[in-house]
Amino acid sequence: MFGKNEIVGQKYFKEAPEDSLFVTSMFYTLQGESIYAGMPALFIRLAKCNLACSFCDTFFDDGDWLTFDEIAERIENLLDDHFGKETRPEWTKDGPLKLLRKKMVLVMTGGEPSLQKNLEPFLKRMEDVFEHTQIESNGIICRANLPASTTVVVSPKCTEKNGVPTKYIKPNKDTLARADALKFVISADQDSPYCTIPDWAFQWASIGSNRRRLYISPMNIYNDQPKKSKEMRSSGKNRIEITERSTVDEVISFWDEGLLDMDANQANHEYAAKFCVDNGFMLNLQMHLYASLA
């Protein structure tokens, strides 16, 4: 598990400033997973979570309160920095009725983004800025007023006791009904509940329209935290700024020697692929890790 991953609930955000979100990091990359896999993506990682999964590979303990206007400005600055302000291509620019920014998806992730009550109005504001908006959630909390245009990817997780997974937590029924996709992490360990998916997930995939998609991801097993993140956090800094959290923490490469337990990962990848072949699901690999991108 990366970070301390303190478990919090919705009351943590009860006094949230108006038109603001508590943001861990923001970065421009590829969407490596699920429905929009392979598309250029602007990620906003929100701080804090209501779970503390032992295999979690993200940092989301720290955050900054940013207004919607400040987030919008940072989005443009990120794209200016990536492409060069004077050479930035037209398709990356905001335009009326999303006429220009058609090749990019805005992804809200965490942590657990549904903890923050201002998520819905922010996505409403962004639906005319990006062609696609997406949230990834564990599904426990229902956000009833998400824009109809927002894609909801639910990634269910298990309860844990002393760091050992015990059983799956079924998402809120309204969140499950709203979900466009389910994404499960699979382990080859036959003693773990992550070696399969629960019955209700098979049922969800078999009912309703063809738009419902179920993705299977092999669980990545790490030997250690990424070197640069570890060094940054052991440097004695009183505070790590959002710029550092958005660059150092977010870049993880599958090819960093010694970072991952390659034997365990091979077993999990092969097991996940066979699980998809046997059950008619879609294999979901974290493309950005193989490309050494954020």
Side-chain angles (χ1 to χ4, degrees):
M1 180 172 68
F2 296 176
K4 297 177 182 177
N5 296 2
E6 172 197 11
I7 295 175
V8 306
Q10 287 176 279
K11 68 177 183 180
Y12 186 93
F13 297 98
K14 186 177 180 181
E15 304 299 327
E18 187 176 358
D19 293 340
S20 297
L21 292 170
F22 197 41
V23 179
T24 288
S25 57
M26 294 177 60
F27 50 99
Y28 177 63
T29 184
L30 286 180
Q31 170 56 291
E33 304 183 72
S34 65
I35 292 176
Y36 300 116
M39 284 188 67
L42 197 298
F43 269 73
I44 300 177
R45 187 180 303 285
L46 301 186
K48 302 303 181 182
C49 192
N50 52 357
L51 297 175
C53 300
S54 55
F55 61 89
C56 186
D57 61 356
T58 53
F59 292 96
F60 47 76
D61 298 300
D62 301 325
D64 290 273
W65 283 107
L66 300 178
T67 66
F68 293 175
D69 287 341
E70 288 171 332
I71 294 172
E73 183 179 1
R74 280 181 176 268
I75 288 172
E76 299 308 314
N77 290 340
L78 280 170
L79 296 172
D80 281 345
D81 290 343
H82 180 84
F83 291 100
K85 191 169 185 178
E86 303 303 322
T87 56
R88 187 170 151 188
E90 289 298 312
W91 65 265
T92 70
K93 299 176 182 177
D94 188 12
L97 301 178
K98 300 171 287 189
L99 292 178
L100 297 179
R101 196 175 287 165
K102 279 185 168 291
K103 302 178 183 179
M104 196 183 303
V105 56
L106 174 71
V107 182
M108 308 297 297
T109 187
E112 176 47 54
S114 69
L115 285 168
Q116 301 201 35
K117 62 183 181 180
N118 292 331
L119 175 67
E120 291 143 309
F122 178 73
L123 284 168
K124 185 67 178 175
R125 171 168 169 169
M126 289 292 111
E127 69 176 347
D128 285 332
V129 177
F130 292 85
E131 183 181 22
H132 304 293
T133 60
Q134 174 195 331
I135 67 166
E136 181 162 330
S137 169
N138 58 38
I140 295 171
I141 299 168
C142 178
R143 295 249 64 106
N145 296 313
L146 291 170
S149 60
T150 294
T151 298
V152 178
V153 177
V154 173
S155 184
K157 299 298 190 296
C158 291
T159 56
E160 294 194 5
K161 185 175 182 179
N162 298 322
V164 178
T166 53
K167 64 178 181 179
Y168 268 104
I169 305 168
K170 187 174 183 179
N172 178 284
K173 64 180 180 63
D174 293 326
T175 303
L176 202 56
R178 172 67 174 80
D180 298 286
L182 299 186
K183 180 168 70 70
F184 286 88
V185 177
I186 286 283
S187 168
D189 180 0
Q190 296 298 302
D191 293 327
S192 170
Y194 284 114
C195 74
T196 187
I197 65 173
D199 290 342
W200 53 259
F202 284 99
Q203 184 180 17
W204 178 92
S206 68
I207 296 174
S209 70
N210 291 331
R211 74 177 178 82
R212 286 188 168 189
R213 303 180 189 181
L214 197 150
Y215 295 87
I216 299 296
S217 299
M219 184 181 291
N220 282 322
I221 307 299
Y222 289 82
N223 291 322
D224 202 353
Q225 294 180 5
K227 182 179 178 181
K228 289 184 179 179
S229 291
K230 194 172 182 178
E231 288 175 349
M232 182 173 69
R233 282 176 162 71
S234 62
S235 65
K237 286 186 177 182
N238 291 327
R239 175 172 169 75
I240 298 171
E241 300 297 330
I242 186 171
T243 302
E244 295 172 294
R245 299 196 303 265
S246 300
T247 52
V248 175
D249 280 344
E250 296 294 352
V251 179
I252 302 175
S253 175
F254 199 84
W255 312 112
D256 282 352
E257 188 173 356
L259 177 63
L260 292 141
D261 182 332
M262 298 305 283
D263 290 338
N265 276 18
Q266 180 178 351
N268 288 348
H269 278 65
E270 292 172 355
Y271 180 81
K274 188 175 187 304
F275 192 89
C276 290
V277 169
D278 291 347
N279 292 285
F281 300 141
M282 298 182 70
L283 182 63
N284 182 79
L285 302 180
Q286 293 181 296
M287 292 182 185
H288 52 292
L289 300 188
Y290 297 92
S292 304
L293 293 172

